[in-house]
Each structure stands twice: as C-alpha cells, then as structure tokens.
Amino acid sequence: MTNNGTILSVNDLKTYFQTEDGVVKAVDGITFTLKKGETLGIVGESGSGKSVTNLSVMRLIPEPPGKIVGGDIIFNGIDVRALSIDEVRKVRGKRIAMIFQDPMTSLNPFLKISTQLMEVTQLHLGHTKDQAYKHAIKMLETVGIPDAAKRVDGYPHEFSGGMRQRVMIAMALSCDPELLIADEPTTALDVTIQAQILELIKDLRERMGTSVILITHDLGVVAGMTDKIIVMYAGKVFEQAPTRELFATPANPYTKGLLKSVPDPAHEQGDPLYQIPGLPPDVAHLPPGCPFAERCDRAEDICRKEYPPFVQINENHFSLCHFAQEVYEGSVAERGQ
C-alpha cells in the first residue's frame, strides 16, 4: 500500500477487442484510485465498459479477441500487468476477489457448495480438507445462510437466487481479500433481497476493512453504499466525484440524465418517466466529437466536431464536457432554489 493509503491505482487503462466490425475500444483511457476501506461505485448504461474495466484489473480479459493495450494497474505496489499467469492466480481470489453478475452461471451446478467453497481455501490458504470444510460452514454463517452446517452440502439448484448470491459472496470473502469487486451483485434479485445483499457487503466492509468496487447501472444502488462514483459512457469516464457531491451537483449532462431517470416516489401519476433519448453509440464506430452529443440536450456544434476536455471542477470533481463548468453551476443554482 502506498503512503497515502491507496490500495489500487489504475492509470490510462485501455482494453480493446478485435471484431469483424473493427476495433471495439471497450475501455479507453480509464484512470482512478481506491484507498483502503473505501467504496467506489462505477455506474453507466449497459455497454459503457464497467465490467470490462474490472475484468481488466483481475486480468480476466479473454485473449483473443480482447487485449489490454495500454495503461497501468498497480495493486498494493504490484504492477498487475507485469505478473505472469501463475503470479496473477496467487493474487486473484486471495487478495482481489470478485462477485460475478449471475451466481447461477458462476457456480458449478454439478458440485456441492462445500466443494466449491473448500477449493478456494485449499488452493490459497493451504487448508486441509477438514479445515476447509469447517471454514466453508463458517463463511456461510458469516453471510447469513441459516442452518449452514446442513446447507453446505447442498447443490446450487437447491438455493434461491438470493442465497446463491450469498454463496458467491462467501466464496469471494473466504481468504479475507484486500479488494472486493462486486459486479452488479443485485441483478435479477427482488428488492428485499437486494437490500439484504447490499447491507451484507457494507457490513463486511466495515468489519474487515475491505476496499470495494461496486459496479451497477443503477444510481439508486450506489447512493448509500459508496464514497465516490465514476460515471462511464462509451468506454470513457464522463464524470468522477464524491458520491454526495455528484448527486447534489452533477457537472455532466449524461449524469444529470441518469439521475433524472431514477424513479421518484413523489412522481405524479400519469406523467411519463424520464428517459435519455436515443441509444449508446457503437464503440467500434464512434462519431467525431463527444460520443454523447447526439443524445444530449445541451449539445452545440463544437460538441459534434471536437472531443470534450476532462474539466476539473474542484479538487475531487471532474467532468468530460465542453460545458462542464456551466452544467455544474446550473446544478448548484437548482439546488439553491
């Protein structure tokens, strides 16, 4: 860990995919840092590059067709890109763990839950079979699965969606990782189970001091969970700010659109819900200028011709927009009304 407590530093990360339609720049110049015990939210529409960013950090990009073509990934002083495959495997699962989107496809349907949990600690912690089995039960109890001693020998299909997600969290936390990456951990779960899963991650972070990256397309999910947020669009960081500040005074039209799209309980019946017009661009054939210009209600000619600058609003707030300062000041004025 660096002197300022930074556990992960990603600088100008670029991950491209070779396809029949051309080069897809799924992640194109992402930069961020994460400190110990901090939670970072990464939000954006589907296809914005959220998952690819974190699969790159884990070195799980399939080659071919994908490849990390540039940038640095520094984890606790270790250059992840410079590690051999064997060295990466010693870090992945033990020091950096990931909760994947769909627990049903992430768990092997033919193996007992105990077998899948035991494999992690036997590989990374050197547990004997008996130690690994006891640890598996302990981890299921930690994530709130009742009657863990009996359920541990069940198969994935015998667990509900929420319980399978808890098993994935138990597996990810088995080796007390320093960094936990949660890739849309509440997808396809009902609202009650979503709240339980998020509260579980929050509680484990507070008790174990684990740093967390929470990936989602739902700004409502990250509101009470994160310290800071990155808003991604078309493989780029469009806005980056502390959570409270981003919600209060966004400085990018895309962020404002996402915030307006969150359903409001006070919404008048009969009024249509807001949605950002149009669709995200094809990242294999991005238009000149700002990739959001065709969907943006603030766009002018310069937006369609020149790529926007990454404007620093204040010490911790940045926005990729020609009119970032103006949008920010507008948000401040709206909040003061």
Side-chain angles (χ1 to χ4, degrees), residues 97-100 180-185 201 212-216:
M98 189 166 184
I99 304 168
F100 293 92
L180 175 66
I181 299 173
D183 190 354
E184 303 205 26
I201 293 172
V212 178
I213 297 177
L214 179 62
I215 308 166
T216 181

Side-chain angles (χ1 to χ4, degrees), residues 78-218:
I78 301 168
D79 184 352
V80 175
R81 287 195 63 199
L83 297 178
S84 67
I85 294 299
D86 288 338
E87 289 171 331
V88 169
R89 285 174 178 158
K90 291 177 182 177
V91 173
R92 188 195 300 147
K94 182 178 181 182
R95 301 183 66 186
I96 306 176
M98 189 166 184
I99 304 168
F100 293 92
Q101 283 191 36
D102 186 355
M104 198 62 221
T105 57
S106 301
L107 292 169
N108 189 322
F110 298 104
L111 296 179
K112 294 178 179 179
I113 295 298
S114 57
T115 303
Q116 299 184 62
L117 283 169
M118 289 165 63
E119 183 181 32
V120 178
T121 55
Q122 285 179 301
L123 177 65
H124 290 299
L125 302 181
H127 279 183
T128 63
K129 192 172 182 179
D130 185 55
Q131 288 174 324
Y133 188 79
K134 290 177 180 177
H135 190 75
I137 295 171
K138 177 186 172 185
M139 290 309 302
L140 291 186
E141 290 172 343
T142 300
V143 297
I145 291 183
D147 207 7
K150 291 183 179 179
R151 300 298 301 275
V152 73
D153 286 319
Y155 287 89
H157 72 271
E158 298 177 294
F159 288 68
S160 68
M163 288 296 181
R164 287 195 294 267
Q165 194 63 290
R166 288 172 186 264
V167 171
M168 289 300 300
I169 294 172
M171 192 179 296
L173 295 173
S174 287
C175 299
D176 292 340
E178 297 153 66
L179 171 60
L180 175 66
I181 299 173
D183 190 354
E184 303 205 26
T186 58
T187 297
L189 301 178
D190 63 63
V191 176
T192 304
I193 302 300
Q194 279 188 32
Q196 291 175 359
I197 295 296
L198 293 173
E199 193 60 37
L200 174 62
I201 293 172
K202 190 174 181 180
D203 179 59
L204 292 170
R205 181 200 70 177
E206 291 171 355
R207 285 196 285 119
M208 301 168 68
T210 306
S211 301
V212 178
I213 297 177
L214 179 62
I215 308 166
T216 181
H217 57 267
D218 187 348

Side-chain angles (χ1 to χ4, degrees), residues 310-324:
F310 201 49
V311 178
Q312 183 169 3
I313 304 298
N314 57 43
E315 184 181 358
N316 299 307
H317 194 164
F318 301 84
S319 175
L320 189 77
C321 181
H322 287 289
F323 306 104

